[in-house]
Amino acid sequence: MSEFARVLATLRQIRGLSPFFALDVGRPDDTWHDGAALSHGTALPDTLDLISARYRTRERRVAGSLFFLGYTARLLSPVVAARAVGGAVPDIRPGNLWWRYTPEGLQVRLKDPVAGVGVAESLEPVVEAVHAATSVARGLLWGNAGSSAAGALRTISRSGVDCVASADELFADPPLQGTGEFIPFPGEIAFRRRSCCLYYRLDGGGTCGDCPLSPR
């Protein structure tokens, strides 16, 4: 089976686990940005402006955190699912992506169904781009990635897939190592991160389920 076929087969398999893991492939219309626009041009700053307006925040770092939290939820989650089922992990580096921000939130899709690389290499360019645009701490952004990965593992485990080995492997090394810890809880994957995504800084915002801060 070719690489394309293996990746496509994996994408179909994980979509069956949950619509949360759906990741489409192929060139969209011209309302979408090339992944390279995450690091160059005005697409990312303009998107951060939209997020700031949507959530009524003047804190650029909050908008940056919210953007990256959505980014990792939509891209790292299918990567985690692919690893958990032993499939071909798709390439989610910016060079293989299309993306856009709409009133429904961030949307992403792959250019080609090809196999990917590690989490650090896949996400680091975007961490640096968001950090440069907002001064939000890199450690906080990697904490967002850890939270998204743990959330994906929790969803996968509820479908009956054993995720213990995948969790140990994903969080054994940087950049996810040290972003949080798994808490023993019968029949559930529970995770507590070591940084806060800043959602509590929004009007009406509170703390998330994996937040290290006291509930607000």
Side-chain angles (χ1 to χ4, degrees):
M1 184 183 293
S2 69
E3 179 181 292
F4 274 39
R6 288 187 293 109
V7 172
L8 287 172
T10 300
L11 292 176
R12 286 193 295 270
Q13 182 181 2
I14 62 176
R15 184 188 292 261
L17 291 176
S18 168
F20 183 69
F21 303 125
L23 189 55
D24 293 326
V25 180
R27 186 182 182 91
D29 60 40
D30 60 7
T31 65
W32 293 69
H33 302 292
D34 189 285
L38 288 163
S39 300
H40 305 286
T42 64
L44 179 58
D46 290 347
T47 297
L48 294 172
D49 289 341
L50 291 174
I51 294 172
S52 296
R54 178 177 183 176
Y55 291 98
R56 293 178 294 180
T57 178
R58 295 181 180 180
E59 292 189 73
R60 196 71 164 173
R61 65 190 184 118
V62 175
S65 176
L66 292 175
F67 172 84
F68 195 68
L69 195 59
Y71 186 88
T72 55
R74 285 155 183 77
L75 284 170
L76 193 53
S77 296
V79 163
V80 171
R83 293 174 63 140
V85 301
V89 177
D91 184 358
I92 61 165
R93 287 175 291 183
N96 193 42
L97 296 179
W98 300 102
W99 66 281
R100 67 179 178 180
Y101 189 80
T102 72
E104 289 72 44
L106 183 67
Q107 298 176 329
V108 294
R109 58 190 296 139
L110 301 178
K111 289 181 179 178
D112 296 300
V114 293
V117 295
V119 170
E121 187 175 345
S122 297
L123 297 181
E124 189 169 11
V126 188
V127 168
E128 292 304 313
V130 175
H131 171 74
T134 66
S135 296
V136 65
R138 294 180 180 90
L140 184 154
L141 295 175
W142 286 119
N144 288 0
S147 179
S148 292
L153 289 166
R154 183 166 55 252
T155 300
I156 298 162
S157 68
R158 290 172 178 170
S159 71
V161 177
D162 185 354
C163 296
V164 174
S166 294
D168 290 342
E169 181 183 354
L170 272 168
F171 286 81
D173 300 305
L176 299 188
Q177 183 186 52
T179 58
E181 60 182 347
F182 289 95
I183 303 167
F185 194 85
E188 184 68 84
I189 289 182
F191 180 78
R192 179 170 295 155
R193 57 184 292 173
R194 293 198 172 97
S195 62
C196 172
C197 71
L198 304 178
Y199 184 74
Y200 80 96
R201 301 288 297 173
L202 300 176
D203 288 341
T207 52
C208 305
D210 61 358
C211 187
L213 302 180
S214 300
R216 295 170 181 245

CSV table of all heavy atoms in Angstrom, one decimal, residues 119-158:
chain,number,residue,atom,x,y,z
A,119,VAL,N,6.0,15.8,16.9
A,119,VAL,CA,5.2,16.9,17.3
A,119,VAL,C,6.0,18.2,17.3
A,119,VAL,O,5.5,19.3,16.9
A,119,VAL,CB,4.7,16.6,18.7
A,119,VAL,CG1,4.0,17.9,19.4
A,119,VAL,CG2,3.6,15.5,18.7
A,120,ALA,N,7.3,18.2,17.8
A,120,ALA,CA,8.1,19.4,17.9
A,120,ALA,C,8.3,20.0,16.6
A,120,ALA,O,8.1,21.2,16.4
A,120,ALA,CB,9.4,19.0,18.6
A,121,GLU,N,8.7,19.2,15.6
A,121,GLU,CA,9.0,19.7,14.3
A,121,GLU,C,7.7,20.2,13.6
A,121,GLU,O,7.7,21.2,12.8
A,121,GLU,CB,9.6,18.7,13.4
A,121,GLU,CG,10.1,19.2,12.0
A,121,GLU,CD,10.9,18.2,11.2
A,121,GLU,OE1,11.3,17.1,11.8
A,121,GLU,OE2,11.1,18.4,10.0
A,122,SER,N,6.6,19.6,13.9
A,122,SER,CA,5.3,20.0,13.2
A,122,SER,C,4.8,21.3,13.8
A,122,SER,O,4.2,22.1,13.0
A,122,SER,CB,4.3,18.9,13.5
A,122,SER,OG,4.6,17.7,12.9
A,123,LEU,N,4.9,21.5,15.1
A,123,LEU,CA,4.3,22.7,15.7
A,123,LEU,C,5.2,23.8,16.0
A,123,LEU,O,4.8,25.0,16.2
A,123,LEU,CB,3.6,22.2,17.0
A,123,LEU,CG,2.5,21.2,16.9
A,123,LEU,CD1,1.9,20.9,18.3
A,123,LEU,CD2,1.4,21.7,16.0
A,124,GLU,N,6.5,23.6,16.1
A,124,GLU,CA,7.4,24.7,16.5
A,124,GLU,C,7.4,25.9,15.6
A,124,GLU,O,7.4,27.0,16.2
A,124,GLU,CB,8.9,24.1,16.6
A,124,GLU,CG,9.8,25.1,17.2
A,124,GLU,CD,11.2,24.5,17.5
A,124,GLU,OE1,11.5,23.4,17.0
A,124,GLU,OE2,12.0,25.2,18.2
A,125,PRO,N,7.3,25.8,14.3
A,125,PRO,CA,7.2,27.1,13.5
A,125,PRO,C,6.0,27.9,13.9
A,125,PRO,O,6.0,29.1,13.9
A,125,PRO,CB,7.1,26.5,12.1
A,125,PRO,CG,7.7,25.2,12.1
A,125,PRO,CD,7.3,24.6,13.4
A,126,VAL,N,4.9,27.3,14.3
A,126,VAL,CA,3.7,28.0,14.6
A,126,VAL,C,3.8,28.6,16.0
A,126,VAL,O,3.3,29.7,16.3
A,126,VAL,CB,2.4,27.1,14.5
A,126,VAL,CG1,1.1,27.9,14.6
A,126,VAL,CG2,2.4,26.4,13.1
A,127,VAL,N,4.4,27.8,16.9
A,127,VAL,CA,4.7,28.4,18.3
A,127,VAL,C,5.5,29.6,18.1
A,127,VAL,O,5.2,30.7,18.8
A,127,VAL,CB,5.4,27.3,19.1
A,127,VAL,CG1,6.0,28.0,20.4
A,127,VAL,CG2,4.5,26.2,19.5
A,128,GLU,N,6.5,29.6,17.3
A,128,GLU,CA,7.4,30.8,17.1
A,128,GLU,C,6.6,31.9,16.5
A,128,GLU,O,6.8,33.1,16.9
A,128,GLU,CB,8.6,30.4,16.3
A,128,GLU,CG,9.6,29.5,17.0
A,128,GLU,CD,10.0,30.0,18.4
A,128,GLU,OE1,10.4,31.2,18.4
A,128,GLU,OE2,10.0,29.3,19.3
A,129,ALA,N,5.8,31.6,15.5
A,129,ALA,CA,5.0,32.7,14.9
A,129,ALA,C,4.0,33.4,15.8
A,129,ALA,O,3.9,34.6,15.8
A,129,ALA,CB,4.3,32.1,13.7
A,130,VAL,N,3.3,32.6,16.6
A,130,VAL,CA,2.3,33.1,17.6
A,130,VAL,C,3.1,33.9,18.7
A,130,VAL,O,2.6,35.0,19.1
A,130,VAL,CB,1.5,32.0,18.1
A,130,VAL,CG1,0.5,32.6,19.2
A,130,VAL,CG2,0.6,31.4,17.0
A,131,HIS,N,4.2,33.4,19.1
A,131,HIS,CA,5.0,34.1,20.1
A,131,HIS,C,5.5,35.4,19.6
A,131,HIS,O,5.4,36.4,20.3
A,131,HIS,CB,6.2,33.2,20.6
A,131,HIS,CG,7.2,33.9,21.4
A,131,HIS,ND1,6.9,34.2,22.8
A,131,HIS,CD2,8.4,34.4,21.2
A,131,HIS,CE1,7.9,34.9,23.3
A,131,HIS,NE2,8.8,35.0,22.3
A,132,ALA,N,5.9,35.5,18.4
A,132,ALA,CA,6.4,36.7,17.8
A,132,ALA,C,5.3,37.7,17.6
A,132,ALA,O,5.6,38.9,17.8
A,132,ALA,CB,7.1,36.4,16.4
A,133,ALA,N,4.1,37.3,17.3
A,133,ALA,CA,3.0,38.2,17.1
A,133,ALA,C,2.3,38.7,18.4
A,133,ALA,O,1.7,39.7,18.3
A,133,ALA,CB,2.0,37.5,16.2
A,134,THR,N,2.5,38.0,19.5
A,134,THR,CA,1.7,38.3,20.7
A,134,THR,C,2.6,38.4,22.0
A,134,THR,O,2.0,38.8,23.0
A,134,THR,CB,0.6,37.2,20.9
A,134,THR,OG1,1.2,36.0,21.2
A,134,THR,CG2,-0.2,37.1,19.7
A,135,SER,N,3.8,37.9,21.9
A,135,SER,CA,4.6,37.7,23.1
A,135,SER,C,4.1,36.8,24.1
A,135,SER,O,4.6,36.7,25.3
A,135,SER,CB,4.8,39.1,23.8
A,135,SER,OG,5.5,40.0,22.9
A,136,VAL,N,3.1,36.0,23.8
A,136,VAL,CA,2.6,34.9,24.7
A,136,VAL,C,3.8,33.9,24.9
A,136,VAL,O,4.5,33.6,24.0
A,136,VAL,CB,1.4,34.2,24.1
A,136,VAL,CG1,1.6,33.5,22.9
A,136,VAL,CG2,0.7,33.3,25.2
A,137,ALA,N,3.9,33.4,26.1
A,137,ALA,CA,5.0,32.5,26.5
A,137,ALA,C,5.0,31.2,25.7
A,137,ALA,O,3.9,30.6,25.5
A,137,ALA,CB,5.0,32.2,28.0
A,138,ARG,N,6.1,30.8,25.2
A,138,ARG,CA,6.2,29.6,24.5
A,138,ARG,C,5.8,28.4,25.3
A,138,ARG,O,5.1,27.5,24.9
A,138,ARG,CB,7.7,29.3,24.0
A,138,ARG,CG,8.2,30.3,23.0
A,138,ARG,CD,9.6,30.0,22.6
A,138,ARG,NE,10.1,30.9,21.6
A,138,ARG,CZ,10.8,32.0,21.9
A,138,ARG,NH1,10.9,32.4,23.2
A,138,ARG,NH2,11.3,32.8,21.0
A,139,GLY,N,6.1,28.4,26.6
A,139,GLY,CA,5.7,27.3,27.5
A,139,GLY,C,4.2,27.2,27.6
A,139,GLY,O,3.7,26.1,27.7
A,140,LEU,N,3.5,28.3,27.6
A,140,LEU,CA,2.1,28.3,27.7
A,140,LEU,C,1.5,27.7,26.4
A,140,LEU,O,0.6,26.9,26.5
A,140,LEU,CB,1.5,29.7,27.8
A,140,LEU,CG,0.0,29.9,28.0
A,140,LEU,CD1,-0.3,31.2,28.8
A,140,LEU,CD2,-0.7,30.0,26.6
A,141,LEU,N,2.1,28.0,25.3
A,141,LEU,CA,1.6,27.5,24.0
A,141,LEU,C,1.8,26.0,23.9
A,141,LEU,O,1.0,25.2,23.5
A,141,LEU,CB,2.3,28.1,22.8
A,141,LEU,CG,2.0,29.6,22.7
A,141,LEU,CD1,2.8,30.2,21.5
A,141,LEU,CD2,0.5,29.9,22.4
A,142,TRP,N,3.0,25.5,24.4
A,142,TRP,CA,3.2,24.1,24.4
A,142,TRP,C,2.3,23.4,25.4
A,142,TRP,O,1.9,22.2,25.3
A,142,TRP,CB,4.7,23.7,24.8
A,142,TRP,CG,5.6,24.0,23.6
A,142,TRP,CD1,6.6,24.9,23.6
A,142,TRP,CD2,5.6,23.3,22.3
A,142,TRP,NE1,7.3,24.8,22.3
A,142,TRP,CE2,6.6,23.9,21.6
A,142,TRP,CE3,4.8,22.4,21.8
A,142,TRP,CZ2,6.9,23.5,20.3
A,142,TRP,CZ3,5.0,21.9,20.5
A,142,TRP,CH2,6.1,22.5,19.7
A,143,GLY,N,1.9,24.1,26.5
A,143,GLY,CA,0.9,23.6,27.4
A,143,GLY,C,-0.4,23.4,26.7
A,143,GLY,O,-1.2,22.5,27.0
A,144,ASN,N,-0.8,24.3,25.8
A,144,ASN,CA,-2.0,24.2,25.0
A,144,ASN,C,-1.9,22.9,24.2
A,144,ASN,O,-2.9,22.2,24.0
A,144,ASN,CB,-2.2,25.4,24.1
A,144,ASN,CG,-2.6,26.7,24.9
A,144,ASN,OD1,-2.8,26.6,26.1
A,144,ASN,ND2,-2.8,27.7,24.1
A,145,ALA,N,-0.7,22.7,23.6
A,145,ALA,CA,-0.6,21.4,22.8
A,145,ALA,C,-0.8,20.2,23.7
A,145,ALA,O,-1.4,19.2,23.3
A,145,ALA,CB,0.8,21.4,22.1
A,146,GLY,N,-0.2,20.2,24.9
A,146,GLY,CA,-0.3,19.1,25.8
A,146,GLY,C,-1.8,18.9,26.2
A,146,GLY,O,-2.3,17.7,26.2
A,147,SER,N,-2.5,20.0,26.4
A,147,SER,CA,-3.9,19.9,26.7
A,147,SER,C,-4.7,19.3,25.6
A,147,SER,O,-5.6,18.4,25.8
A,147,SER,CB,-4.5,21.3,27.1
A,147,SER,OG,-5.8,21.2,27.4
A,148,SER,N,-4.4,19.7,24.4
A,148,SER,CA,-5.1,19.2,23.2
A,148,SER,C,-4.8,17.7,23.0
A,148,SER,O,-5.7,16.9,22.7
A,148,SER,CB,-4.7,19.9,21.9
A,148,SER,OG,-5.2,21.3,22.0
A,149,ALA,N,-3.6,17.3,23.2
A,149,ALA,CA,-3.2,15.9,23.1
A,149,ALA,C,-3.9,15.0,24.1
A,149,ALA,O,-4.4,13.9,23.8
A,149,ALA,CB,-1.7,15.7,23.2
A,150,ALA,N,-3.9,15.5,25.4
A,150,ALA,CA,-4.6,14.8,26.4
A,150,ALA,C,-6.1,14.7,26.2
A,150,ALA,O,-6.7,13.6,26.4
A,150,ALA,CB,-4.3,15.4,27.8
A,151,GLY,N,-6.7,15.8,25.7
A,151,GLY,CA,-8.1,15.7,25.3
A,151,GLY,C,-8.4,14.7,24.3
A,151,GLY,O,-9.4,14.0,24.3
A,152,ALA,N,-7.5,14.6,23.3
A,152,ALA,CA,-7.7,13.6,22.2
A,152,ALA,C,-7.6,12.2,22.8
A,152,ALA,O,-8.4,11.3,22.5
A,152,ALA,CB,-6.7,13.8,21.1
A,153,LEU,N,-6.6,12.0,23.7
A,153,LEU,CA,-6.5,10.7,24.3
A,153,LEU,C,-7.7,10.3,25.1
A,153,LEU,O,-8.2,9.1,25.1
A,153,LEU,CB,-5.3,10.6,25.2
A,153,LEU,CG,-3.9,10.7,24.4
A,153,LEU,CD1,-2.8,11.0,25.4
A,153,LEU,CD2,-3.6,9.3,23.8
A,154,ARG,N,-8.3,11.2,25.8
A,154,ARG,CA,-9.5,11.0,26.6
A,154,ARG,C,-10.7,10.6,25.6
A,154,ARG,O,-11.4,9.6,25.9
A,154,ARG,CB,-9.9,12.2,27.3
A,154,ARG,CG,-11.1,12.0,28.2
A,154,ARG,CD,-11.2,13.2,29.3
A,154,ARG,NE,-11.3,14.5,28.6
A,154,ARG,CZ,-10.3,15.3,28.7
A,154,ARG,NH1,-9.1,15.1,29.4
A,154,ARG,NH2,-10.4,16.5,28.1
A,155,THR,N,-10.8,11.3,24.5
A,155,THR,CA,-11.9,10.9,23.6
A,155,THR,C,-11.7,9.6,23.0
A,155,THR,O,-12.6,8.8,22.8
A,155,THR,CB,-11.9,12.0,22.4
A,155,THR,OG1,-12.2,13.3,23.0
A,155,THR,CG2,-13.0,11.7,21.4
A,156,ILE,N,-10.4,9.3,22.6
A,156,ILE,CA,-10.1,8.0,22.0
A,156,ILE,C,-10.4,6.8,23.0
A,156,ILE,O,-10.9,5.8,22.7
A,156,ILE,CB,-8.6,7.9,21.6
A,156,ILE,CG1,-8.3,9.0,20.5
A,156,ILE,CG2,-8.2,6.5,21.0
A,156,ILE,CD1,-6.9,9.3,20.3
A,157,SER,N,-10.0,7.0,24.3
A,157,SER,CA,-10.2,6.0,25.3
A,157,SER,C,-11.7,5.6,25.5
A,157,SER,O,-12.0,4.5,25.7
A,157,SER,CB,-9.6,6.4,26.6
A,157,SER,OG,-10.3,7.5,27.2
A,158,ARG,N,-12.5,6.6,25.3
A,158,ARG,CA,-14.0,6.4,25.4
A,158,ARG,C,-14.5,5.6,24.3
A,158,ARG,O,-15.6,5.1,24.4
A,158,ARG,CB,-14.7,7.8,25.5
A,158,ARG,CG,-14.4,8.5,26.8
A,158,ARG,CD,-15.0,9.9,26.8
A,158,ARG,NE,-14.7,10.6,28.1
A,158,ARG,CZ,-14.9,11.9,28.3
A,158,ARG,NH1,-15.4,12.6,27.3
A,158,ARG,NH2,-14.7,12.4,29.5
